[in-house]
Amino acid sequence: MVIGGLQKLSLIDYPAKVAAVVFTQGCLFRCPYCHNPELVPLKQDSYISEDDVLRFLNGQRNFIDGVCITGGEPTLHHDLPDFIKKIKSMNLLVKLDTNGINPNMVEKMIAADLLDYIAMDVKHRWEKYDCVAHTGNETALENCKKTFYLIQSSGVDHEFRTTVFPAEHAEEDFFTIAGYLLPGEKYYIQDIRYGKNLNKHLDKTKELNVSKIAATLRSKYPRVQVDVR
Ligand code: SF4
């Protein structure tokens, strides 16, 4: 594991849980609005060693409920399942944040009962996915779709979420994405955070009303749990 950061305590990254947050280094997507741009490059040097993270978590295990593993993209690290096994041996819950790029690993981790909660970013409706993800790679989209359907059928508590990116999204795109969800599933739409972004020259002239989109989604898809973050 190449670890890019550790947040010792969070009340917001794992729903209804007190958690530590481990940030992995490296991502193959290039979402222009990414607000952790320092975690995007694939590097070999860790900000903090895996052993030090595990030692810290072990010391905290009576004070936190679990660990949120986010990125970057955690599933790029072949040893992620082993890392999670070590965390679970401390009786801590594990939430995985993923962009969906590695369905094989997600499938194995679900089968091995390593994940207690999964949050997947759905960057755009499938037809326009690369307008946000910027991978230039058809396989990446196919992988994201596979992961999406795997999560839906996993039985693991989960959520899908989309960051609203007015430069690329239109209101109707969220109706399309929400249409992918099954009754009872959670869908969060997140307002874009301008400031520290991967693309330093984002077009900030366009706007979308996130609350209005959420209200329309709720009336159109009353069986999906829509919320704003
Ligand atoms: S926002 Fe996009 S570029 Fe940034 S870590 Fe997530 S998937 Fe990667």
Side-chain angles (χ1 to χ4, degrees), residues 121-163:
D121 289 342
V122 180
K123 302 291 180 187
H124 210 313
R125 61 186 164 92
W126 301 131
E127 297 77 17
K128 297 194 73 183
Y129 221 74
D130 217 43
C131 296
V132 175
H134 291 287
T135 64
N137 183 343
E138 272 294 309
T139 312
L141 168 61
E142 289 313 311
N143 284 348
C144 292
K145 278 190 193 176
K146 273 190 206 163
T147 304
F148 180 89
Y149 295 122
L150 268 170
I151 293 171
Q152 281 197 315
S153 60
S154 66
V156 177
D157 197 7
H158 61 271
E159 69 183 46
F160 297 108
R161 58 203 190 177
T162 304
T163 296

Side-chain angles (χ1 to χ4, degrees), residues 24 26-37 39-40 70-74 98-100 121 123 132-133 161 163 198:
T24 62
C27 184
L28 300 179
F29 286 15
R30 293 293 180 270
C31 313
Y33 56 73
C34 179
H35 58 85
N36 283 326
L39 294 173
V40 172
T70 189
E73 172 50 38
T98 182
N99 63 20
D121 289 342
K123 302 291 180 187
V132 175
R161 58 203 190 177
T163 296
L198 186 61

Side-chain angles (χ1 to χ4, degrees), residues 23 29 34 55 80 105 150 172 182 189 214 217 225 229:
F23 297 86
F29 286 15
C34 179
R55 208 169 295 121
L80 177 67
M105 183 184 279
L150 268 170
E172 303 72 42
L182 301 171
I189 50 175
L217 286 176
Q225 297 180 50
R229 275 209 181 113

